[in-house]
Every structure is written in structure tokens, then in C-alpha cells.
């Protein structure tokens, strides 16, 4: 079945009312038939609803549908993209362990890995996503995760996914990929050997900037990589917090099972059923939207590249871009989402352009149906000096755009008048 068809039907069996729309089950808890039923649910002898922190029928549809789109076995929804990332790492590593991360990460992921996880005793070691061959110099027997983004935000690079998964597999290490910007529509990392994907559902999944949420997806057959793997004793030994359950001995996808039974149970970053429902609405048009976002961005990038006031355009869909080959290899039809950036001569020039646009909203978000413009040097990267800005690839004249679903002609016209104002 094609992705667009799965996006409309996967994971939902019409309930007793025959509702075409997936119902929103706003409930905290569920009635058990009797004591035996309750005991069976807790013992995993029977699967079913217990309490909405652990599972919910609306969220279940969102999880199953998203797992299908990504080509994975199972998924776990969370309250935000950041909590999905934290659960993916906390499900693999503990105090005394280390993880290897790409330098080119979302700002929140950089602070989570470099600072917050460090306080929990997990060390992060960073590599340049363009130099995957250096990963091996960072690995030791305490390395539990290699973490990177398929299409990086905000630097707009495309990872050579297979080069990284080959190294991870050689050492039996789990790969976690943040696939937020590429989305399952454009990139399916499991086809290139990735083990776990994480997403912020707050971006293209909801698609209209409606809500915060996240999701973690596990690939098919991950159990084989975890079984008897000395790096992941916690999947192979009894979990005393769950009456001695051994995750690889249960006939259920082990990674999401442990994330649900242990992390969601104890840390509780659960998504609201209402938000899951919003994400389900977004998914119905996911494929249509991603194609249109990508088309608009390519047209705008092509226009910008030819404009005399523009020094440089970063968009992996342009032949001139150093990520072009990877984008062709890893992204469906080479489509690269709505995220692009471009550089003008100075901070003053960039400020003037951003202020002169009318159609673009000045917002620190991406993936909305409405176009967004940001000037990183005066907002997200404000605390950095001129040298530091250059070092992290954010010159002061850099403008970032998340192309929405307006007509590309209007988007180009507005940037043109702003450039020439
Ligand atoms: C926004 C974003 C996140 C964080 O997601 P939230 O839902 O805001 O917590 C993580 N990774 C990437 C690539 C993002 O763009």
C-alpha cells in the first residue's frame, strides 16, 4: 500500500458507531471487566487499556499510523519532540555510558545532549555529520547510541545515513535518527539501516502549527540486535521494576515496550489524546503537503540563487549544494522539505529584508502551512559573537525560511520586493 493510502487508513478499525473520523477518547482511565482481567493486563498476558499515561485508543491510532508510514514495527507517542529524544537515549544508556552525536543538531537537542544528559552521567561526544569516518575514533564499549538528524535543523545538511549505520552495525550500537524535517514522506531511515527514529510532531506532522508532540519509532526486527548484546544488558536481564520482565523474551517490539512500561510509566511525558487526534488530521494530508512545501522551497531557492543581493543559498535540492548527492540518494524524488536559508551581505541588510516581508511571519518554528522567516543572529543565536556565529555556520546575514503552502509566485514576489525595498 502506498504511503498516502496508509496515511488515511492505517491503524484504525471503525468502532461500534462506525465513525469515519477517529474519535477522541478523552479519558484518564478504563474499566476492567473483573479482577482477573485487570491482573492479566498488568501482567501483559492480555493487551488492553489501563490508564492514559500508558496507552489511549486515539493515541494508539496515531502511533500505529505513524509506524506504518515510517515502515517501522511500533511507535510510542510523547508530549514533545524533546521528550521523544530523551526517551530514545534514556532507553539505551545510563549513568557512566556515552553517546555519539552529530554536531549539526536542533538547538534543544544540543543542550539536552551536551548539558542535561551530562548532569545525569551520560557523556555526549560530537562528530561532524560530513565526516562519519571519524565516528569510530569516538566509540568505546560504553557507547550506547549514535544520534543524528537525517535533514538537519537549522544547518540544512543531509546525513550520509548508510555510512553511519554501517559503522554502528559493525559495533552493535543503536542508531537514533531525528527525522523531523525530512518526515517519513521524504525519507524512511529504516530502509538505510537505522534502528530508531524520533520526531517532533509539532512541525510537519501537525502541519499547521497547532500543537506540541513527539513520537519514537522502532524498526522491524530490532530484537535481533538487542538480544544477547552486551551493550544492552537491560533488555536481556530481568527488570525488577516490572516483576522481573525480560524485554527480549516478550513477543512484542522491545524498544517501544520498555520505553512505555518503564519510561512513560515513571517519567510521564505523555501526549494528550486531543493532540494525537490533531496529528492524525495532519497525517491525512502529509504526503500532499510535503510535496508542495518542497516544490515551493525549490522555486524560491532557485529565484534567490539568481538574485544579485544574495551571496549564498542553502537548499539541498539545488545542484550547487554540497548535500545534493545525499538528498538524491536518501529523499524520495530528491524532494527536500520547505526549509532553506540564504545569506545577504550584512546584519543590517538581513534585518531590513526580514522587516520588509509581508507574507512571511517572524517566528521561531518550522513546518507550518504559513511561511515563516527567522534571523538566527538576532534570535536563536543572539548570545554568540561574530566569530562563534561563523564557526557554527550562522553568519550574521543569514536568513532562514520555512516555506509554507502559499502560492510560490506570491512567496517569490514578497521576497523580491523585500530584497529590493
Ligand atoms: C522542533 C524540533 C525538535 C523539538 O521538538 P518539540 O516538539 O519542539 O519538543 C527536535 N528536533 C528537531 C529537528 C526539531 O525541529
Amino acid at each position: 500500500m502506498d504511503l498516502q493510502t496508509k496515511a488515511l487508513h492505517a491503524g484504525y478499525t471503525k468502532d461500534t458507531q462506525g465513525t469515519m473520523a477517529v474519535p477522541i477518547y478523552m479519558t484518564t482511565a478504563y474499566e476492567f471487566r473483573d479482577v482477573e482481567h485487570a491482573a492479566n493486563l498488568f501482567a501483559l498476558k492480555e493487551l488492553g487499556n489501563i490508564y492514559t499515561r500508558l496507552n489511549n485508543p486515539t493515541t494508539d491510532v496515531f502511533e500505529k499510523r505513524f509506524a506504518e508510514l515510517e515502515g517501522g514495527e511500533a511507535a510510542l507517542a510523547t508530549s514533545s519532540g524533546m521528550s521523544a529524544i530523551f526517551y530514545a537515549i534514556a532507553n539505551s544508556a545510563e549513568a557512566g555510558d556515552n553517546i555519539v552525536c552529530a554536531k549539526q543538531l536542533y538547538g534543544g537537542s544540543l543542550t539536552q545532549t551536551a548539558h542535561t544528559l551530562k548532569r545525569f552521567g551520560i557523556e555526549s561526544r560530537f562528530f561532524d555529520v560530513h565526516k562519519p569516518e571519524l565516528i569510530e575514533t569516538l566509540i568505546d564499549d560504553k557507547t550506547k547510541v549514535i544520534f543524528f538528524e537525517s535533514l538537519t535543523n537549522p544547518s540544512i545538511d543531509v546525513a550520509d545515513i548508510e555510512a553511519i549505520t554501517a559503522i554502528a552495525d559493525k559495533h552493535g550500537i543503536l542508531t537514533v535518527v531525528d527525522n523531523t524535517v525530512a518526515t517519513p514522506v521524504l525519507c524512511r531511515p529504516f530502509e538505510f539501516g537505522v534502528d530508531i527514529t524520533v520526531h517532533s510532531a509539532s512541525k510537519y506532522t501537525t502541519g499547521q502549527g497547532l500543537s506540541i508532540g513527539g513520537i519514537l519509532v522502532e524498526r522491524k526486527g530490532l530484537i535481533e540486535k538487542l538480544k544477547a548484546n552486551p551493550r544492552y544488558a537491560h533488555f536481556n536481564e530481568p527488570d525488577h521494576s516490572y516483576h522481573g520482565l525480560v524485554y527480549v523474551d516478550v513477543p512484542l517490539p522491545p524498544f517501544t515496550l520498555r520505553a512505555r512500561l518503564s519510561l512513560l510509566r515513571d517519567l510521564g511525558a505523555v501526549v494528550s489524546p486531543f493532540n494525537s487526534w490533531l496529528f492524525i488530521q495532519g497525517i491525512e494530508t502529509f504526503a500532499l503537503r510535503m510535496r508542495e512545501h518542497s516544490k515551493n522551497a525549490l522555486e524560491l531557492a532557485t529565484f534567490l540563487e539568481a538574485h544579485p543581493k544574495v551571496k549564498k543559498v542553502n537548499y539541498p535540492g539545488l545542484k550547487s549544494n554540497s548535500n545534493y548527492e545525499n538528498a538524491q540518494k536518501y529523499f524520495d524524488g530528491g524532494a527536500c522539505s520547505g526549509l532553506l536559508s540564504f545569506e545577504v551581505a550584512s546584519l543590517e541588510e538581513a534585518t531590513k529584508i526580514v522587516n520588509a516581508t509581508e507574507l512571511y511571519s517572524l517566528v521561531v518554528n518550522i513546518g507550518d502551512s504559513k511561511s515563516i522567516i527567522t534571523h538566527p543572529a538576532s534570535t536563536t543565536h543572539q548570545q554568540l559573537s561574530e566569530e562563534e556565529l561563523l564557526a557554527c555556520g550562522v553568519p550574521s546575514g543569514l536568513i532562514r525560511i520555512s516555506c509554507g503552502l502559499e502560492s510560490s509566485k506570491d512567496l517569490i514576489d514578497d521576497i523580491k520586493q523585500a530584497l529590493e525595498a
Side-chain angles (χ1 to χ4, degrees):
M1 221 186 267
D2 281 343
L3 186 137
Q4 174 55 22
T5 309
K6 289 180 189 166
L8 291 156
H9 297 286
Y12 178 52
T13 317
K14 290 186 187 67
D15 70 0
T16 51
Q17 309 297 325
T19 58
M20 284 295 283
V22 176
I24 310 174
Y25 285 93
M26 289 308 295
T27 182
T28 305
Y30 310 85
E31 187 182 23
F32 308 120
R33 286 191 304 273
D34 49 32
V35 171
E36 193 190 354
H37 178 219
N40 283 344
L41 290 177
F42 276 89
L44 302 178
K45 285 184 188 150
E46 216 179 304
L47 297 177
N49 301 316
I50 295 176
Y51 188 66
T52 284
R53 176 153 33 77
L54 294 171
N55 44 19
N56 172 277
T58 309
T59 299
D60 189 55
V61 175
F62 170 46
E63 291 170 338
K64 290 204 164 82
R65 195 164 288 185
F66 205 99
E68 281 275 333
L69 299 187
E70 194 97 293
E73 186 162 12
L76 177 87
T78 58
S79 59
S80 68
M82 290 322 302
S83 53
I85 293 166
F86 178 66
Y87 283 9
I89 296 170
N91 210 24
S92 312
E94 60 186 28
D97 290 339
N98 65 71
I99 61 173
V100 172
C101 309
K103 272 188 213 163
Q104 292 86 347
L105 287 182
Y106 174 71
S109 305
L110 268 182
T111 47
Q112 180 181 119
T113 52
H115 299 282
T116 302
L117 287 173
K118 190 173 164 195
R119 292 177 47 232
F120 292 174
I122 298 170
E123 181 201 342
S124 300
R125 303 171 175 179
F126 292 93
F127 70 99
D128 184 333
V129 79
H130 296 300
K131 295 184 181 146
E133 66 279 6
L134 297 183
I135 291 173
E136 260 182 331
T137 63
L138 303 173
I139 289 174
D140 59 27
D141 60 3
K142 290 284 187 191
T143 304
K144 300 299 169 78
V145 164
I146 300 176
F147 175 48
F148 60 102
E149 296 174 4
S150 46
L151 176 51
T152 69
N153 175 22
S155 72
I156 321 184
D157 290 298
V158 183
D160 185 351
I161 303 175
E162 284 183 334
I164 300 174
T165 54
I167 296 167
D169 286 343
K170 187 174 147 198
H171 295 271
I173 300 171
L174 294 174
T175 41
V176 175
V177 165
D178 184 334
N179 199 31
T180 298
V181 186
T183 78
V185 176
L186 304 182
C187 177
R188 284 163 305 278
F190 298 142
E191 292 173 7
F192 308 109
V194 166
D195 297 315
I196 292 129
T197 60
V198 288
H199 293 258
S200 165
S202 327
K203 314 290 171 55
Y204 285 119
T205 304
T206 170
Q208 299 171 54
L210 297 177
S211 197
I212 300 279
I215 194 158
L216 174 165
V217 192
E218 161 175 10
R219 78 160 160 87
K220 292 177 180 148
L222 185 61
I223 192 164
E224 297 309 325
K225 188 166 184 176
L226 293 170
K227 213 179 246 173
N229 186 333
R231 289 187 198 270
Y232 307 104
H234 52 287
F235 280 95
N236 291 281
E237 288 167 2
D239 179 351
H240 296 299
S241 81
Y242 211 98
H243 50 61
L245 183 72
V246 177
Y247 292 99
V248 296
D249 289 349
V250 185
L252 291 166
F255 199 86
T256 35
L257 182 70
R258 185 175 185 275
R260 188 183 302 280
L261 296 186
S262 166
L263 299 174
L264 207 51
R265 178 195 62 189
D266 298 347
L267 301 173
V270 64
V271 68
S272 157
F274 181 71
N275 284 2
S276 294
W277 181 82
L278 287 174
F279 301 141
I280 291 167
Q281 309 317 306
I283 286 174
E284 291 205 352
T285 55
F286 216 173
L288 304 171
R289 287 186 288 107
M290 290 316 292
R291 278 198 283 275
E292 195 68 10
H293 281 294
S294 304
K295 177 184 121 335
N296 279 354
L298 182 59
E299 287 179 30
L300 182 61
T302 306
F303 163 79
L304 287 167
E305 198 168 43
H307 198 282
K309 276 204 181 166
V310 175
K311 281 168 68 181
K312 188 171 182 237
V313 181
N314 304 306
Y315 189 64
L318 291 174
K319 287 213 172 76
S320 58
N321 190 276
S322 59
N323 295 285
Y324 182 77
E325 300 284 309
N326 281 347
Q328 293 299 311
K329 178 171 179 188
Y330 294 112
F331 298 165
D332 246 22
C336 295
S337 90
L339 196 63
L340 66 93
S341 65
F342 66 101
E343 200 185 333
V344 292
S346 64
L347 179 93
E348 293 69 36
E349 186 85 9
T351 310
K352 216 181 80 200
I353 293 165
V354 171
N355 285 338
T357 58
E358 286 166 6
L359 205 48
Y360 298 79
S361 307
L362 180 57
V363 169
V364 280
N365 188 22
I366 59 162
D368 198 318
S369 48
K370 283 79 70 182
S371 287
I372 286 171
I373 197 161
T374 43
H375 181 230
S378 61
T379 54
T380 49
H381 294 63
Q382 190 195 61
Q383 283 82 12
L384 305 185
S385 68
E386 192 77 24
E387 294 74 53
E388 286 172 321
L389 283 173
L390 281 177
C392 67
V394 183
S396 57
L398 190 80
I399 294 171
R400 190 183 73 178
I401 284 179
S402 168
C403 260
L405 299 175
E406 299 90 346
S407 95
S408 59
K409 179 180 177 303
D410 290 337
L411 290 175
I412 291 171
D413 284 352
D414 192 36
I415 282 287
K416 185 167 188 292
Q417 67 77 22
L419 277 164
E420 292 161 13

